[in-house]
Amino acid sequence: GNSVTQMEGPVTLSEEAFLTINCTYTATGYPSLFWYVQYPGEGLQLLLKATKADDKGSNKGFEATYRKETTSFHLEKGSVQVSDSAVYFCALNSNFGNEKLTFGTGTRLTIIP
Amino acid sequence: KAGVTQTPRYLIKTRGQQVTLSCSPISGHRSVSWYQQTPGQGLQFLFEYFSETQRNKGNFPGRFSGRQFSNSRSEMNVSTLELGDSALYLCASSAKPGQLNNEQFFGPGTRLTVL
C-alpha cells in the first residue's frame, strides 16, 4: 500500500535559518504529493503541491520538488520566520479516483527569534 | 466564501456512549472526507463521500460510520465509544474529486475526549 515517511521532529531553528524537512514515499502509479501545515488549535492548510514528476510546488517561500527517481518530496525554505512555527505534514494521493490522502507522521517546527 | 465548518468544536463523552459529528463543506463542494488525528497514529483516513455515496473507506471498525446528505453536509457517528477514540476528527471537502488539480480544504476539527 501507499506510505509516507517523514523526517522525525521536533526541529528547532533560529530565525533566518535554512529549513529542510525530508519526505519520501511509496506508492504505485503516479501519485500527487502535498505539504500541509497545521498551526496550533487549527485544521490543516495546504501549503503546496505537485502532481507529476519534476514539478516544483511553491508557496510563501516554501518549495518542494517531486523527484520520482528518489521517490522524494523534501520541503525547503531559505529563511524561516517565527511565524513558520507549526507542524508540517507530507501527504500523497494515489489518484485512483478517490480523495484519500496518506499522511506522514508530521514534523513539529519551532523557530526561535 | 465560508470555509469548511465542523460542529461541535469540542466534545466530552464517556465510554460506551455514542457521538455524532457534523461537517458542512464549502458551498459547491460535493466530496467530503473524514480523518482521525491522534498523537500515536497520526492522521488516518476514515471515509469519503461523494453525492451521498461512500466512495472509499479506511481501516476502522464498524463502530465508525458516516453519511452524506443531499446538500453535501456530512455526519460521522461513533458508537460504543472507547478511550482510544479520543482524537481530533477532521473533515475535508473538495470541488473536483478525482482531478489532478483538485484541492482538499480542511475544517478546524472536532476535539473528542472520551472519559
Side-chain angles (χ1 to χ4, degrees), chain A:
Chain A
N2 298 335
S3 67
V4 176
T5 301
Q6 195 174 330
M7 177 175 161
E8 290 285 334
V11 173
T12 303
L13 294 173
S14 297
E15 204 166 20
E16 298 184 3
F18 183 86
L19 168 71
T20 299
I21 301 178
N22 290 337
C23 171
T24 57
Y25 67 90
T26 302
T28 53
Y30 302 92
S32 293
L33 302 174
F34 306 85
W35 277 100
Y36 281 87
V37 59
Q38 187 175 35
Y39 297 101
E42 298 184 14
L44 301 175
Q45 298 177 26
L46 179 64
L47 181 59
L48 53 83
K49 66 180 180 183
T51 57
K52 61 183 187 297
D54 300 325
D55 264 3
K56 177 187 281 189
S58 61
N59 187 25
K60 299 180 182 179
F62 290 90
E63 293 183 340
T65 301
Y66 189 142
R67 301 287 188 200
K68 191 164 177 60
E69 64 276 12
T70 54
T71 61
S72 65
F73 193 54
H74 305 320
L75 182 68
E76 296 182 336
K77 186 175 185 183
S79 176
V80 292
Q81 306 300 313
V82 172
S83 58
D84 294 327
S85 298
V87 181
Y88 293 80
F89 293 91
C90 185
L92 70 83
N93 177 277
S94 63
N95 291 324
F96 285 157
N98 64 67
E99 296 301 281
K100 177 183 176 181
L101 290 168
T102 300
F103 286 91
T105 53
T107 301
R108 182 175 299 278
L109 173 66
T110 301
I111 307 300
I112 52 177

Side-chain angles (χ1 to χ4, degrees), chain B residues 8-27:
Chain B
R9 290 293 310 277
Y10 301 91
L11 206 48
I12 299 176
K13 292 285 187 180
T14 55
R15 279 180 299 174
Q17 287 187 308
Q18 75 163 19
V19 67
T20 300
L21 312 181
S22 180
C23 171
S24 292
I26 291 172
S27 178

Side-chain angles (χ1 to χ4, degrees), chain B residues 14-66:
Chain B
T14 55
R15 279 180 299 174
Q17 287 187 308
Q18 75 163 19
V19 67
T20 300
L21 312 181
S22 180
C23 171
S24 292
I26 291 172
S27 178
H29 287 194
R30 294 167 60 195
S31 171
V32 173
S33 299
W34 289 88
Y35 293 84
Q36 182 197 63
Q37 185 177 20
T38 60
Q41 300 298 316
L43 279 153
Q44 295 187 286
F45 173 80
L46 279 156
F47 23 65
E48 179 206 349
Y49 287 88
F50 178 73
S51 292
E52 302 178 65
T53 301
Q54 187 181 88
R55 292 210 305 174
N56 200 6
K57 189 177 191 305
N59 208 14
F60 280 81
R63 300 185 297 107
F64 291 81
S65 63

Side-chain angles (χ1 to χ4, degrees), chain B residues 14 21 26 45 47 55 58 70 76 78 80 98 100 102 112:
Chain B
T14 55
L21 312 181
I26 291 172
F45 173 80
F47 23 65
R55 292 210 305 174
S70 58
M76 67 163 281
V78 188
T80 320
L100 277 183
N102 190 41
L112 172 65

